[in-house]
Structures are given as C-alpha cells and as structure tokens.
Amino acid sequence: MFEFRLSVLPPTDPLPTDADTTFFWHSKQSMPYFHANVGPRLAEYGLVKNRNVDFVRIAAAVLAADRSASRSGSLSRWNQRDISLTIDVLAASPWNGVKSDLERLLGFLTGDAWSLTFRREIGAPEQLGNAVIGAKRAVLLSGGADSATGALLSALELAGRGEKQVLVSSWASTNLRPLQTRVADEIERAAKGSTADHIKVRIARGRHAPSGAAYGKEDSTRSRSLLFIALGLAVASVEDLPLWLPENGYASINPPLSKSRRGSLSTKTTHPKFIADLKRVLEAVGAHHDVVNPYAAATKGEMFSLVSDAIGSATASAFLSSTSSCSHTGARSYGIGPDVACGVCFGCVLRKASFAASGLNDGTHYLTPANDKQRNWLEVKTVVPAMRDFLASPFGESDLSRLQIPADIPLADVARLVQRGREELGRLAL
C-alpha cells in the first residue's frame, strides 16, 4: 500500500512524520518540493466554484501520487497498485458522498485501487483576480494537434460573432510551455479577428520532499490529463462557460493494439465512459461539469481536413506541423532535442496517417537515428510492429464490446469510426 497526502499548508518545523510522502502545495511560488504558479485556492482566476477548487486539488494529488508510486512489470503485466491518498479540500462532506464513485473512476483511469480521504483545510488567503472576462468558451490547449485544431476552429467560429475564448494550458515539463505559447500565437495569426486570453498553469510536485528525501519515480502517469481537465473546468466555472476538450474520437475510443495493451498503458481521459462518469460525479457534488469533446465522432485525419478547409492547405500544413503529438520528445540523455519527434510512438504514427489522409504535407521533424544508442531507443519505443498486427487482424463485435462504450452511444457509429480510423492507418506504409 502506497500512502500519500496533499497539504495546502506549509511544512512545519519540525517536519511531520509523513513529510516524505506529503505534497505541500501552499502558495503560487515554486519550491524545491512543489512547483506551482497559482495558489491552492485558485483565487487569481476569479471566483472559481468551491467544488472545482477541490477537484483541482484532488487531481493534483492524484497525479503527484501516480508519479510517486512505482509500478513493476510492463504492459498488461503491470501490477495494480494500492494507493491511499488524503487530500485537503474546502469541504469534505460533498466528496465523501461520491467517494466510491470517484475511486472507481480513478481505477478505470490508471488501473489501480484507490482509497481517498478528504480533510477540510482552506489554505492561506489569496488575492482575487479575474482571468475570463468576456469569454464565451474555454478550450484546453495542450500543444498537440487535436487541441490546436479545436482551439483554432473555435476561434474562427467565435470571431465570426465578435466573441472571444479563453485557452487553458497545463505544463510540468519546461519543453511544453514555449510550445503552447507558439501554438496559441499561430492560432491568433490564422484566425483573423479572433481574441483569446491564454492561461498557462504549472502544478507539479518536485523531485524531493522538504527533508531532501527523493519522492518515488514512476513514468507512466496515466492520470496526467485529469489535472488538465480539472483546471479547464475551474477556469470555466468562473463564468459558467462550456469547456472544449478536443480529441479525435478514434483515439478517445482507444481500440487497443493488442491484448497486452488492454490495461492502464493506454490513455483513457477522453474515453466517453470516463467523461460521462466524471460529469456525473462532478454534478453530484455541485461542481461545474460542462465539458464536451466536439470531435468525438471524427478521426484525426478528418479533423486535419477541417483545418485545411478552414484556412487552406498550405497554412493548415504549417499550422499542424507546428504542434506536437509525440509521447517521447526531449529525450536529452539520448541526444534528442525537444523539437524532434520519435516517429514511432502511437501519437506519431497516428499523426503521420492523419497528414496523409487529409492530403497535407507533414513538416514534422521526426528522428533519424544517428547512432546505435538512438536506434536501440527507437526499437524499445516503437508501436509499429503492434500496429501492423492490429491492422492485419479483423476488428469485430467482440472487440467492440470490450471498449466499454456508454449505452447512449450507438455501437454502429463506433464501429464506423473505428473502421475509418483503421483505414487511415492502413494507408500508411508501416
């Protein structure tokens, strides 16, 4: 059993006995033990709904614990971790009422057994701001191609009505922030007349506890996007805005490449079951929960075609090429820079297929290995053999039934979506 705690109070002197397994998020300053550019009450964004403040704390604690509890094994042989987590929230009773539902939701997301405890703790006073004045929609912007597509098409739509949007980005890696800024600038250039505020949030535990002891290290972090969604909803809650979570429907449905990928290795944060269950939990506690994936019925190639139709093929090619879809960028120990994509992870393979399907030129800088170290690294990271096997095998009703699609989504529509996605991938020379 791994046991962790998120505290919104600073560490005491002497340190508490559980200091080495406690994440101290008590201010907007970056400490060696916790990095943040916003305080745990989120006051600088405006009057964020209390339950959305709580949800951000919960999501930040889950990610910190996820990163600190090491797994064993690989793929479907990963162990199921037992994680006990205590979280400071503004009010404990609403969350106690959905405790079991939230624990199951986290289990679906990460493949682990979660036990949550909520403790009432408000935190220090913070200066009140307002980050979403006049916005009509909030859009998550990760720096990836799908979120960039959603933000661009949203900007074009709103500009036609003289309305603005607010973009919400979350970053922990220093490579991400400049990418997100660059993509936001490209959206402003491509969507003439559009206006947007861009909120860039950093919330991440440091490498070492206040005592200097190292936190545990786990790289799988399937819960990462939960914090992204929580932050978007928190910002949107100030003005009761809808939140767009743009992701192509094929990746959201998440057909596994093989039986060994049916576990928590595959991301599930935009899966329709996860989104539906999350909205039910948030509604039950009174949190803002208006989140939608406007491209749930589209493949990535179809999304790329929408961009091409909206701004022209040359501009679309340059815009989409400026985004990043790679899971492994910035592998510095292998001499690979932050602007170089591996070309062999699922994100890169799907990206290549989508450029080809939409007839757009792919200007992405993919890695050409310069030495055996880089070649061996690519062999470890590649999904290409698994993708070949997946495309060579039929995808039938039994496979469809295992995708856990909510009952209100017609399986015939999902089958057609999966077929179109497989056809796009099948045209790629693998």
Side-chain angles (χ1 to χ4, degrees):
M1 169 76 75
F2 293 97
E3 296 183 358
F4 300 103
R5 179 166 66 94
L6 176 78
S7 172
V8 297
L9 300 178
T12 57
D13 186 13
L15 291 171
T17 56
D18 65 347
D20 290 351
T21 54
T22 298
F23 315 115
F24 294 95
W25 176 25
H26 54 83
S27 74
K28 63 180 292 182
Q29 299 177 359
S30 274
M31 306 291 183
Y33 48 82
F34 204 91
H35 308 304
N37 62 4
V38 65
R41 295 175 69 171
L42 309 181
E44 70 179 69
Y45 301 147
L47 292 172
V48 177
K49 290 189 185 326
N50 285 345
R51 298 295 77 76
N52 289 96
V53 172
D54 289 344
F55 183 42
V56 169
R57 294 183 183 185
I58 292 167
V62 166
L63 177 57
D66 192 14
R67 288 190 58 207
S68 304
S70 60
R71 295 183 185 272
S72 62
S74 60
L75 300 181
S76 64
R77 294 181 296 278
W78 271 354
N79 66 312
Q80 181 190 73
R81 303 168 297 178
D82 292 307
I83 301 175
S84 175
L85 183 58
T86 301
I87 307 150
D88 285 358
V89 291
L90 299 178
S93 58
W95 296 101
N96 286 331
V98 297
K99 179 178 180 295
S100 296
D101 291 336
L102 186 54
E103 289 169 347
R104 280 192 295 270
L105 186 70
L106 295 175
F108 175 79
L109 183 61
T110 71
D112 302 302
W114 292 83
S115 176
L116 303 178
T117 301
F118 305 103
R119 188 182 74 169
R120 185 179 184 273
E121 186 60 65
I122 295 174
E126 297 174 11
Q127 182 69 41
L128 186 66
N130 193 339
V132 295
I133 296 175
K136 296 298 182 182
R137 179 185 295 146
V139 183
L140 294 180
L141 181 68
S142 65
D146 288 9
S147 71
T149 293
L152 172 65
L153 296 178
S154 173
L156 290 167
E157 176 195 333
L158 294 176
R161 302 198 298 259
E163 296 173 347
K164 66 180 286 189
Q165 64 183 356
V166 56
L167 305 176
V168 181
S169 296
S170 175
W171 62 281
S173 166
T174 53
N175 296 332
L176 266 183
R177 189 176 184 181
L179 168 66
Q180 293 163 344
T181 300
R182 184 172 71 243
V183 172
D185 291 342
E186 292 294 332
I187 291 169
E188 188 174 346
R189 278 191 285 271
K192 304 298 183 185
S194 66
T195 56
D197 295 318
H198 189 191
I199 298 174
K200 291 167 276 192
V201 191
R202 188 185 194 193
I203 299 174
R205 69 127 172 88
R207 294 184 178 180
H208 296 87
S211 67
Y215 288 119
K217 186 175 186 296
E218 169 56 45
D219 295 327
S220 58
T221 58
R222 303 321 310 168
S223 64
R224 180 175 53 198
S225 294
L226 182 68
L227 178 59
F228 196 17
I229 295 171
L231 288 165
L233 283 170
V235 170
S237 77
V238 176
E239 297 289 344
D240 286 322
L241 304 178
L243 174 68
W244 274 21
L245 172 60
E247 178 81 11
N248 76 85
Y250 179 82
S252 295
I253 293 298
N254 202 7
L257 297 184
S258 66
K259 291 181 180 179
S260 66
R261 290 182 66 99
R262 295 191 191 280
S264 58
L265 178 63
S266 300
T267 181
K268 297 177 180 178
T269 325
T270 60
H271 192 285
K273 172 179 167 52
F274 178 82
I275 295 297
D277 290 349
L278 174 63
K279 291 174 74 169
R280 277 191 287 271
V281 167
L282 295 178
E283 183 179 19
V285 299
H288 183 62
H289 59 279
D290 186 0
V291 56
V292 62
N293 178 6
Y295 305 103
T299 67
K300 196 181 191 80
E302 289 164 354
M303 290 181 68
F304 279 26
S305 293
L306 290 174
V307 177
S308 181
D309 293 342
I311 60 176
S313 58
T315 305
S317 171
F319 172 73
L320 292 167
S321 295
S322 73
T323 68
S324 175
S325 304
C326 185
S327 303
H328 308 303
T329 52
R332 288 178 295 179
S333 60
Y334 292 87
I336 303 168
D339 294 325
V340 180
C342 74
V344 298
C345 69
F346 178 77
C348 283
V349 172
L350 187 59
R351 178 187 180 94
K352 289 178 178 180
S354 302
F355 270 107
S358 59
L360 294 175
N361 178 61
D362 186 356
T364 308
H365 183 185
Y366 296 109
L367 175 65
T368 300
N371 50 53
D372 287 341
K373 185 177 182 181
Q374 291 183 355
R375 276 186 284 273
N376 292 337
W377 180 78
L378 285 180
E379 287 181 9
V380 170
K381 299 298 183 183
T382 185
V383 302
V384 171
M387 181 67 77
R388 289 195 196 106
D389 293 342
F390 170 69
L391 295 174
S393 303
F395 193 88
E397 290 183 5
S398 61
D399 300 288
L400 202 61
S401 66
R402 286 193 287 266
L403 296 181
Q404 301 187 62
I405 305 300
D408 61 341
I409 300 177
L411 283 182
D413 292 347
V414 176
R416 285 190 288 269
L417 173 63
V418 171
Q419 181 60 31
R420 298 199 310 275
R422 283 167 58 91
E423 287 172 356
E424 288 181 3
L425 288 162
R427 297 188 198 110
L428 197 63
L430 293 174

